[in-house]
Amino acid sequence: MSEKLANNSDASPLETVGTHDARSLAALFIPLALLGIALALVPLRLGDSRVLMGVAVLGLTYGCYTIGFNVIFGSTGQLFLCVGALAGIGGYGAAILADTAGLAIWASILLATLAAATIGGLLSYIAVRRSLGVIFTGIVTLIFSLAFEALTLGLGEWTGGDTGLSLRAGADTFLQERIPPYYLMLALLLSFLLIHGLLRRSHIGWAFRALRDNEVAAELAGVDVARYRVYAALIGAAMLGLAGSTYVFTEGRVSSTTFGFGEVDIVVLVMLAFGGIGSLFGPIAGALTFTIIDEALIQFGQLRYVAYGILVIALFLWMPRGILPTISSFWRRARGPKQNTVAKPIQSIE
Amino acid sequence: MIANILDGIVLGLQFGLLAAGLTLVYGLGGVLNLAYGQMAVISAIVITLALSAGVPVLLAVALGLFVGGLAGLILDLTILRPVYRLRGEPRVLLSLLLTLGVSFIIDGFLNWRYPLETLSLRIPGEAVEILGVPMRRGSLIASAITLVTFAALFGFFRYTSLGRAVRSVIQDQEGARLVGIYPHRMLRLILVLSGVLAGLVAVTRSMVTPVDAQSGLSITVFALIVTVVGGLGNVAGALLAGIILGIVSVIAANLIGTYISLIILLAAAALTILIRPAGLLGVKE
């Protein structure tokens, strides 16, 4: 999508965000390590405040969601408007498994993650089978989101309805201390980034780019478009489920707004669009920026959304590819024509 | 059973009206307006404010519809201009994302400034019996307004030359331009019309359930679902889809229970989309 929207800018339509990565693994590990170190230092500043640490944990969780959504939407162009629902299958599933069924926390997280991945894969399979376009995939998954929300409200004896559940499992463990949840979510975030980074370098990532840039051409070149779409949905949905279920245990409670459409999906979409759809580190840039802005503007209450609205509009009008790719292509241009990578489809096939 | 079907039709007409404004703009302009529900909410708030200032009901409603149309015009003159430069799927996507931004702005402002204003136009009086079923006056008047609106829409598109001009643009933009019709003017007209329709949605809906600053998202979402089930860009399809979904929803609600009925409604919508991606009355491209 990012390329399609970029058609009106000066960027070549063939230029893709993914193909600029240097081939060496260092280009993946060095930024990842720097990001890890920078984020690991955050509790040194904020560690005294339980509230701020809560905000930071939530920010990391949204970062994880955004990576999962990026794997599905950014890599293969499937507009899954059920990020909250998939994370909620993980979250509610793990909460119910641990509290009602009495499973160990790790086992319930594992099972709930598998459930989220299965459903995500299934949704993708249906969308691929019926060859739904971007908009229709969006609508069907939006309907799924609404059905999930209705279910969580309706199945009151399982989910606690509007008030939600307070979890007994994990209540007196490290999961609900002040600092450890932060590092747990950070580890999750970094491993998601690593997985996505490695994925992009593998043949799967190559297939993703091919089918996103031109579906028909990819199919003709022998890429099984349907299969790779389902792969992306499986991986992304597993990430969402894992992040959602882990978050529920660190928070100690889950309610209908924890995974609501307005609370999760729209925010994640804005975060990804801000950071750069399809770029590796874009989701982190988006999630961090929005968490900080949101915390800074919290005193303005509902009026914050006016600022977000203006931001979203400005973003899509002037940098439809997102802030990171725009800055990096500006940077490349500034460094001179030698580094100026215009469309190089041949190199990316090598 | 008759009661179920009648209630279903009443609800279905609401659904149909909800989708009409959205589907027209999509059909004519390839624009998916996610700020549609917020336009309805703007009208609702304007009517509420006018009523509390002592303006007579009909005048207040007229004012609300006028402001709805104005919102459509402003959308056309500002945020949609860059959208009109694109074609095909990028056009739909950009329109969707930009109007999502607009919906944030409207939602944020209204929730901040008018969090408590609620429009509920209660129609007093006893229930009226139709085919032996007692029906609330509010629902009947809402349905009557909807039916008149649809009749006017069909009449406009079938019998007026302006309506035919609009349809010609839906069918073939280049062809319309060749015979001297300005597609952009038609589009502007339809955006104003869709704003007025959004205002009407607020009016009829408030006769049955209260409309407040938080209602925007759910109005947009349901309008979107009915629109897609009916076939994007198809007004008759929107009406048909609305009525079918309304009847399904009411019967499910009475047979099983409330939240399951919403799920059945959603499942019906999803199934229709999967079986007929072009919509009930849509034509495959």
Side-chain angles (χ1 to χ4, degrees):
Chain A
M1 187 190 90
S2 49
E3 285 75 37
K4 287 177 185 161
L5 288 181
N7 277 355
N8 59 345
S9 75
D10 55 349
S12 155
L14 280 170
E15 186 180 32
T16 60
V17 174
T19 44
H20 302 306
D21 299 317
R23 296 290 122 191
S24 69
L25 280 176
L28 170 62
F29 282 111
I30 292 173
L32 201 60
L34 289 177
L35 181 73
I37 292 169
L39 286 176
L41 295 177
V42 167
L44 290 183
R45 252 192 90 84
L46 305 179
D48 295 334
S49 155
R50 204 170 175 104
V51 176
L52 286 181
M53 283 316 289
V55 171
V57 170
L58 189 62
L60 289 179
T61 311
Y62 273 83
C64 292
Y65 293 160
T66 313
I67 298 171
F69 180 57
N70 194 22
V71 169
I72 303 175
F73 180 51
S75 318
T76 60
Q78 306 179 85
L79 182 54
F80 265 39
L81 294 179
C82 54
V83 173
L86 289 174
I89 288 168
Y92 272 105
I96 291 169
L97 283 173
D99 257 25
T100 315
L103 253 63
I105 291 180
W106 66 267
S108 48
I109 290 183
L110 185 70
L111 282 178
T113 304
L114 281 178
T118 314
I119 292 177
L122 205 63
L123 282 171
S124 167
Y125 181 76
I126 295 173
V128 166
R129 269 282 107 130
R130 300 296 309 165
S131 46
L132 303 178
V134 180
I135 307 291
F136 280 84
T137 307
I139 305 247
V140 169
T141 50
L142 170 69
I143 291 176
F144 176 73
S145 280
L146 297 179
F148 177 78
E149 236 167 280
L151 262 185
T152 56
L153 288 177
L155 291 173
E157 67 258 51
W158 291 87
T159 62
D162 251 333
T163 37
L165 295 173
S166 273
L167 271 75
R168 289 185 302 277
D172 294 313
T173 61
F174 74 97
L175 284 169
Q176 286 174 27
E177 283 170 24
R178 192 154 34 89
I179 311 266
Y182 179 84
Y183 286 108
L184 184 65
M185 287 318 288
L186 180 58
L188 217 52
L189 182 95
L190 293 175
S191 51
F192 283 6
L193 272 181
L194 184 64
I195 291 170
H196 190 197
L198 291 175
L199 210 59
R200 285 156 63 98
R201 268 144 225 279
S202 69
H203 71 285
I204 299 182
W206 174 79
F208 282 174
R209 274 195 295 281
L211 75 89
R212 191 192 51 177
D213 290 349
N214 189 333
E215 201 180 318
V216 178
E219 190 84 60
L220 287 175
V223 175
D224 187 344
V225 170
R227 178 195 301 203
Y228 284 105
R229 285 228 156 109
V230 176
Y231 280 176
L234 279 173
I235 299 166
M239 287 176 173
L240 295 173
L242 183 56
S245 51
T246 311
Y247 176 71
V248 161
F249 286 110
T250 66
E251 185 69 8
R253 54 171 291 106
V254 51
S255 72
S256 56
T257 54
T258 315
F259 300 110
F261 180 76
E263 285 82 6
V264 176
D265 283 88
I266 290 183
V267 176
V268 164
L269 189 62
V270 172
M271 283 176 174
L272 183 62
F274 182 78
I277 296 163
S279 75
L280 181 59
F281 289 100
I284 311 304
L288 285 180
T289 315
F290 263 80
T291 307
I292 293 169
I293 295 180
D294 199 55
E295 191 53 29
L297 295 182
I298 201 147
Q299 75 223 43
F300 294 103
Q302 290 289 336
L303 215 50
R304 275 178 298 170
Y305 289 90
V306 176
Y308 298 157
I310 295 171
L311 195 59
V312 166
I313 292 172
L315 203 62
F316 283 108
L317 282 184
W318 290 298
M319 34 180 124
R321 291 187 299 157
I323 194 102
L324 271 195
T326 304
I327 291 175
S328 65
S329 79
F330 184 76
W331 175 244
R332 262 194 309 278
R333 222 172 298 151
R335 277 201 298 184
K338 201 187 81 185
Q339 294 287 327
N340 195 357
T341 38
V342 194
K344 40 173 196 175
I346 297 165
Q347 268 126 310
S348 63
I349 288 170
E350 280 170 0
Chain B
M1 200 60 201
I2 294 178
N4 279 341
I5 290 178
L6 279 182
D7 278 343
I9 291 176
V10 167
L11 183 65
L13 287 172
Q14 291 287 312
F15 281 160
L17 185 61
L18 211 57
L22 203 62
T23 207
L24 271 177
V25 173
Y26 183 85
L28 187 67
V31 167
L32 214 43
N33 177 9
L34 290 192
Y36 186 65
Q38 278 72 19
M39 282 159 72
V41 171
I42 290 181
S43 294
I45 303 270
V46 167
I47 297 174
T48 317
L49 292 177
L51 285 179
S52 58
V55 178
V57 179
L58 282 181
L59 198 61
V61 167
L63 192 65
L65 298 187
F66 174 76
V67 172
L70 196 65
L73 180 66
I74 293 173
L75 219 52
D76 175 85
L77 290 177
T78 56
I79 206 74
L80 290 179
R81 307 222 81 163
V83 174
Y84 294 154
R85 278 186 235 126
L86 300 177
R87 307 230 154 266
E89 204 158 65
R91 175 165 171 148
V92 182
L93 277 173
L94 187 64
S95 72
L96 186 152
L97 293 163
L98 291 182
T99 52
L100 184 70
V102 174
S103 81
F104 287 175
I105 296 178
I106 299 175
D107 252 356
F109 177 75
L110 291 181
N111 275 310
W112 167 73
R113 187 73 182 77
Y114 306 107
L116 298 176
E117 263 77 1
T118 306
L119 179 64
S120 73
L121 294 171
R122 298 217 174 281
I123 309 291
E126 305 226 329
V128 182
E129 283 214 359
I130 292 179
L131 298 175
V133 183
M135 304 288 286
R136 274 189 301 167
R137 273 173 194 240
S139 331
L140 288 180
I141 295 179
S143 305
I145 294 178
T146 308
L147 283 175
V148 170
T149 309
F150 269 103
L153 276 180
F154 288 133
F156 170 68
F157 283 119
R158 191 158 292 256
Y159 298 115
T160 66
S161 48
L162 192 59
R164 284 206 210 98
V166 171
R167 276 198 321 185
S168 76
V169 176
I170 294 182
Q171 278 166 6
D172 183 352
Q173 217 175 73
E174 288 312 308
R177 203 193 295 271
L178 283 178
V179 295
I181 297 165
Y182 291 99
H184 282 167
R185 279 193 203 163
M186 297 301 131
L187 197 46
R188 183 163 303 157
L189 177 78
I190 288 302
L191 266 156
V192 172
L193 184 63
S194 98
V196 175
L197 286 172
L200 264 182
V201 164
V203 171
T204 57
R205 195 179 165 92
S206 70
M207 292 177 179
V208 186
T209 47
V211 178
D212 60 16
Q214 282 96 47
S215 312
L217 182 64
S218 73
I219 293 181
T220 309
V221 165
F222 272 93
L224 201 58
I225 291 174
V226 179
T227 300
V228 172
V229 170
L232 280 163
N234 192 315
V235 180
L239 183 60
L240 181 68
I243 290 177
I244 291 176
L245 291 179
I247 293 175
V248 168
S249 162
V250 168
I251 289 179
N254 286 343
L255 288 185
I256 310 166
T258 41
Y259 83 92
I260 295 282
S261 86
L262 178 57
I263 291 173
I264 290 178
L265 169 71
L266 295 170
L271 271 181
T272 323
I273 295 170
L274 291 176
I275 295 169
R276 280 189 67 90
L280 286 175
L281 295 184
V283 187
K284 271 222 173 95
E285 279 171 26

